[in-house]
Amino acid sequence: MRRKKARRSQDLVDQEQRCALCRLCDDDPALLGEKVTLKDHNLCVHYFCLLTSCGVYQRGKEDEGVFGFLVDDIKQEVRRSARLVCSGCKKKGACVGCSVRRCRRTVHFPCGRRRDFLSQFTGLFPSFCPDHSPTQTALGGPDLSPPRSCSVCLDPLDPVLSFSVLKCPSCHSSWFHRDCVQRQAHSAGLFFFRCTLCSNQKDFQEEMLRMGIYIPERDASWELEANAYSELLEVYTRCDALVCLCSDGRTHSAKTGWFQVIRCQLCGSRGTHRKCWGLKLDARDWACSDCTEDAEETASTVTSPQGGQRSLLSKLHSSPISCKRAALPVGAGPPEGILQSLGLQLCPLSMWVEVDGDQALSAGVELVRRADFDPTRTLSVCFKDPQMTPLPSSLQDGDAARQYFLELLVQQIQDSVVFEGPDGSKNLALDSQALRDDLYLDVGCLLALSLAHGGPPVGFFSPALYRCLFNYPPGPPLGLTHMTPGTLCTRRVGRIAEAESVEELREAALGSRELLELAGCSRPIGSLEEKEALVEDLVRFTMVTRMQLPLQRFREGLQTLGVFDQRLPSVFHSVFCEAEVHLSAQTLHQLFSIHFSPQEDRRSRETPVSSFWRRFLQDCEVGRSSVSLKDLLRFATGTEELPAAGGLPSPSISFLHRRGGGGEERRLRRRECLKDEGLLPERELGSKRLLLPVTSSYQAFKSCMEQAIS
């Protein structure tokens, strides 16, 4: 019994929500018109059903009945249409009929839309069946092909004009779905409804009315919303600098002085205190970092924070680093192969680098800031004061000097203010002066230059820094162990992580209140379970959020010469994060390629020397020689470390024969000892070629090698 009552009550509710003419509960103002319910008369109708019905007319005023349709007339139309069968759903109540007298088709308005019945919302509001409805023709030039997508929703459409697909009569290029253009008309209204491509309004509206599109006589929907544009009257007064120095907070704006918020003159939606951005006290022109990247010509008028010093804002436009890059090979491979291919594409023209003493980093920064700097050229290094430089006298030629300069450069970059943390696992440090001077971009550029010109592997990046830069390797969120040990932020986050009770957690959070406010984590703590999320948010803020600008500029510098244009973070991970390869006899043996002489008699004497070479490498490795593998590598190539590019050019070995030794074989053998004593190895640093002496015994070979290298 209760089920029957519930079912009856539900039927009554549905009956009240059904349109009296089409018998549907749908409520879609764009396609069916406004749904009006008169509870006093127990009547509900769609506006379009009333407009297109054949037997009802507006005989009242606009505020009478339903928009001028009297209630009695509507009920009379319901009784009239109750005898007519819909040609679509085959049910009674069809109130819309074809306006051609000889045609007897009748439908409900929603059924008519599905059966391609066209109703015109103008004049006497006539309706037409598919056989008598107006159509459009695909007029256009011979080279004009019909579009494949709707110009309103951009979804694909069939390029055939029909009831469901219409086109603009003016440009013939704008085609659209009927439902899409009807919803556009419902939203735009009479004053804003026009073609989405050519913006024609008069001809477009006339054609749409002819093709059955209802255009409401009102303003656009976005103009009718109350206070829709009130936010445009608000002035932006918040400091968006990375670190706000104002004690009253980011939202404080004084009327004048250091802590007056000035807005971006390009977009107006970003602001900063003069003090927080390093501007002058009277500065009024400023552009945010987003606008300086997108508007080069406009942002070039912005004044520099410091008169004679190059600023980050000006460098964004004037720096030639990122615009002059060599192209990398298409295919991926090991980092040595990629860097070697890149090195082969460098321009033979050279750029001079003058190093004062051992100040390699200062010389490198001065190089990349020069107006004529071109990273595609080779480097020619000159030390101004050799007496003050720990450069061995044997490495005074150009190739050795360049190699020594690159080694000093990488080491001094690791020890610079840009990085923090223990050796071999450095994170990026936040330094305000480095930000003003844009040192992050310079350092990234210098590291890329070092790799491309045959310098040593970087090897001192921490895994966390590499992940922040290139999102590799994927894994869980960064944790406390990834932060730089010993820093103030790390100690404060560590106190929070070590809390074992809610009281300890609250006390630790209170001691780190400033850090929590900067990170946006200043919230009440209710349970100990919130500790993990709080630590994760603080670590993300410390290592990523507050470091966004340094990370971005450093990443752009590393992309110099296209080192990371192919986005191969997995390939270069070992170059930046792994320590230098341990020198071994096997490593050096694989590094040098051996070239034998084409003459048979010489080849027979060179073959035993190649075995002497392998044995000598093993003696150097285990300490049975007075020279080390590093000494041997420096003697042969001018560097103590294996270059990241695998050596440019690749080191090779040839053999050194005594000149004028073309006597009889028996005579040569009698004088082998005398010959061995005067024959020493030689090297060609430019081509990285090592000339091994051809001796009769291993002891003689070892003695010659140790004498020359020592």
Side-chain angles (χ1 to χ4, degrees), residues 144-164:
L144 185 64
S145 59
R148 297 288 180 174
S149 62
C150 172
S151 62
V152 179
C153 70
L154 304 182
D155 287 342
L157 53 70
D158 294 330
V160 179
L161 292 174
S162 61
F163 175 82
S164 302

Side-chain angles (χ1 to χ4, degrees), residues 382-454:
C382 173
F383 287 87
K384 288 184 179 179
D385 191 359
Q387 285 76 21
M388 296 179 58
T389 306
L391 182 68
S393 58
S394 59
L395 300 179
Q396 294 294 335
D397 60 277
D399 295 309
R402 181 179 67 243
Q403 197 65 36
Y404 186 68
F405 165 73
L406 295 178
E407 293 177 8
L408 282 177
L409 179 64
V410 173
Q411 182 60 46
Q412 292 177 11
I413 287 176
Q414 181 180 184
D415 300 334
S416 67
V417 297
V418 171
F419 293 98
E420 63 182 9
D423 291 343
S425 184
K426 296 284 189 179
N427 286 327
L428 214 58
L430 182 61
D431 187 271
S432 59
Q433 187 62 41
L435 271 176
R436 293 190 186 98
D437 298 341
D438 207 7
L439 188 59
Y440 296 94
L441 179 69
D442 297 334
V443 167
C445 173
L446 289 174
L447 288 178
L449 286 179
S450 175
L451 292 175
H453 288 81

Side-chain angles (χ1 to χ4, degrees), residues 200-229:
N200 181 280
Q201 188 175 34
K202 181 180 179 181
D203 297 337
F204 181 74
Q205 288 189 4
E206 291 179 356
E207 179 67 7
M208 292 302 103
L209 287 173
R210 187 180 74 89
M211 297 306 297
I213 301 300
Y214 174 74
I215 307 175
E217 295 184 11
R218 57 167 172 78
D219 211 342
S221 57
W222 56 84
E223 296 288 347
L224 300 177
E225 183 180 350
N227 299 322
Y229 305 100

Side-chain angles (χ1 to χ4, degrees), residues 241-384:
L242 287 175
V243 178
C244 181
L245 304 177
C246 182
S247 59
D248 295 328
R250 293 180 177 270
T251 57
H252 173 73
S253 178
K255 293 183 178 180
T256 58
W258 287 112
F259 294 105
Q260 179 185 10
V261 173
I262 59 173
R263 290 171 294 281
C264 174
Q265 67 171 8
L266 301 181
C267 67
S269 60
R270 293 289 185 271
T272 181
H273 294 124
R274 291 189 178 94
K275 189 74 172 178
C276 301
W277 203 267
L279 303 178
K280 292 183 178 180
L281 184 60
D282 58 347
R284 294 190 174 276
D285 294 331
W286 173 77
C288 64
S289 56
D290 294 337
C291 292
T292 53
E293 293 177 1
D294 300 332
E296 180 175 352
E297 295 181 359
T298 306
S300 62
T301 62
V302 181
T303 59
S304 172
Q306 300 175 0
Q309 190 174 6
R310 186 192 60 164
S311 67
L312 169 61
L313 186 62
S314 62
K315 185 174 179 180
L316 281 170
H317 317 296
S318 61
S319 173
I321 292 177
S322 59
C323 61
K324 298 179 180 178
R325 300 180 182 171
L328 272 174
V330 176
E336 295 82 2
I338 295 178
L339 292 175
Q340 280 185 357
S341 300
L342 179 58
L344 294 175
Q345 300 178 47
L346 296 177
C347 177
L349 297 177
S350 61
M351 294 195 68
W352 279 94
V353 183
E354 293 185 350
V355 185
D356 187 5
D358 61 350
Q359 302 301 311
L361 180 56
S362 300
V365 172
E366 183 180 353
L367 170 68
V368 299
R369 293 181 179 180
R370 283 163 47 179
D372 60 342
F373 170 64
D374 186 351
T376 62
R377 295 186 177 184
T378 56
L379 298 179
S380 295
V381 181
C382 173
F383 287 87
K384 288 184 179 179

Side-chain angles (χ1 to χ4, degrees), residues 472-534:
Y472 180 89
L478 297 176
L480 179 61
T481 57
H482 296 99
M483 298 181 66
T484 305
T487 62
L488 178 61
C489 290
T490 304
R491 291 196 296 269
R492 290 183 174 180
V493 178
R495 280 195 61 194
I496 296 175
E498 294 170 357
E500 298 181 354
S501 64
V502 178
E503 290 74 15
E504 293 182 3
L505 182 59
R506 290 173 178 170
E507 182 180 354
L510 183 61
S512 306
R513 181 179 58 186
E514 295 180 359
L515 178 61
L516 293 175
E517 290 178 352
L518 287 175
C521 301
S522 181
R523 53 181 180 264
I525 298 176
S527 64
L528 191 61
E529 285 74 16
E530 300 178 17
K531 179 180 69 174
E532 183 177 352
L534 182 60

